[in-house]
Amino acid sequence: MKIQKDIENLVGETLNSLDGIKPVEANSFLFGKIQNRMQMEHREQVARIKTLSRLSAALLLFIGLNVGSYYFLSGNSPKPKTVQKKATAAEAFASEYHLTGNQYNY
Amino acid sequence: MTDEQLLQDLLTGNEKAFRLLVNTYKNMVFNTVLGFIQDRDDAEDVTQNVFIRVFETVSSFKQQSKLSTWIYRISVNESLDFIRSKNRKKRWAVITSLFGSNNELLHQAGHNDHPGIITENKEKAAILFEAINKLPDKQKTAFLLQKIRDCSQQRIAEIMELNEGAVESLLTRAKANLKKMLINYYES
């Protein structure tokens, strides 16, 4: 019973331990610190934007070069000879067995 | 200078007005934040965040409440955000420490050493702060604004954008929860 009462007293004292709390003075150089931080954040933001724009430009250049080279190479590249050969062989076979016309002599 | 004049000057980006705002409200903000965070250095960082936020969002302030109420609101939100981010870092440190990373500093328990508490109450206040930190955000905010800033229920209601009845209920629940936690602490 006594222990219970002691605990209640302790709880009461603990709950009241914030009574009479004194206000603490903020740093007198707070404004200067805020200004420095804002300037630093501004500089960092500018640097981030610059880096981002450079990266975007590099990416665009990379994509442009890839697309350009694809069209350039696909337009100028010679047709594969093997296809031509196959076509020629097929034509030769067709002409040998008279398969080129659509008239038939039975 | 009235709040309206100060706001007008702030909207034009006037540095003198911002300096005046900081000097007028710095102790109010710092002590509010200190109540939540209980660490002087962290509280100073969060106080800086509060004023930067005020400067950046002053154009969105609709003047439906007093300037000081709005600044109180930002202080509370920034403090709660800081605590959440710190808890996230602590959880992450626990996870990474399982894999052998060295995060000893993050594992150190927060020292609840509020510089405004009288010496004879320091030990008990540290125990009380440990319990307060376990309360839900709304109960914690209402309790701290009353205890640390000596705000009336009406003022707390304005800051938290609640009605007075809700604040009274929050305070009652906060005190009951704290009592329960403290009884458990002293019984163990």
Side-chain angles (χ1 to χ4, degrees), chain B residues 3-25:
Chain B
D3 280 357
E4 285 84 34
Q5 284 172 319
L6 188 61
L7 281 167
Q8 284 301 317
D9 289 348
L10 274 175
L11 281 168
T12 59
N14 187 326
E15 193 190 302
K16 274 184 187 171
F18 187 45
R19 184 190 290 269
L20 183 66
L21 178 100
V22 171
N23 289 334
T24 308
Y25 292 106

Side-chain angles (χ1 to χ4, degrees), chain A residues 48-64:
Chain A
R48 255 201 308 275
I49 290 168
K50 273 186 185 171
T51 313
L52 204 69
S53 54
R54 278 176 197 156
L55 276 173
S56 307
L59 191 71
L60 275 174
L61 189 71
F62 178 74
I63 292 170

Side-chain angles (χ1 to χ4, degrees), chain B residues 113-167:
Chain B
D113 192 17
H114 192 298
I117 290 163
I118 47 175
T119 320
E120 64 207 60
N121 283 347
K122 281 221 185 266
E123 201 180 322
K124 287 194 177 79
I127 296 165
L128 181 59
F129 274 125
E130 283 286 337
I132 290 170
N133 291 338
K134 287 175 189 155
L135 286 175
D137 285 353
K138 283 188 175 177
Q139 289 180 26
K140 189 196 294 180
T141 304
F143 186 81
L144 285 173
L145 286 173
Q146 192 187 51
K147 279 280 181 185
I148 306 276
R149 298 300 302 153
D150 208 16
C151 289
S152 66
Q153 283 189 14
Q154 192 195 345
R155 187 94 168 104
I156 298 170
E158 282 169 13
I159 294 165
M160 295 181 74
E161 295 179 287
L162 296 170
N163 59 48
E164 275 189 65
V167 172

Side-chain angles (χ1 to χ4, degrees), chain B residues 44-60:
Chain B
E44 201 171 285
D45 283 346
V46 176
T47 303
Q48 290 175 25
N49 289 349
V50 170
F51 284 109
I52 291 171
R53 182 99 185 272
V54 167
F55 186 76
E56 284 172 349
T57 58
V58 70
S59 56
S60 66

Side-chain angles (χ1 to χ4, degrees), chain A residues 14 22 24 26 33 35 37, chain B residues 15 27 31 44 49 116 186:
Chain A
T14 309
K22 289 176 196 156
V24 183
K33 284 187 172 188
Q35 265 194 323
R37 202 158 137 184
Chain B
E15 193 190 302
N27 287 333
N31 282 285
E44 201 171 285
N49 289 349
Y186 284 117

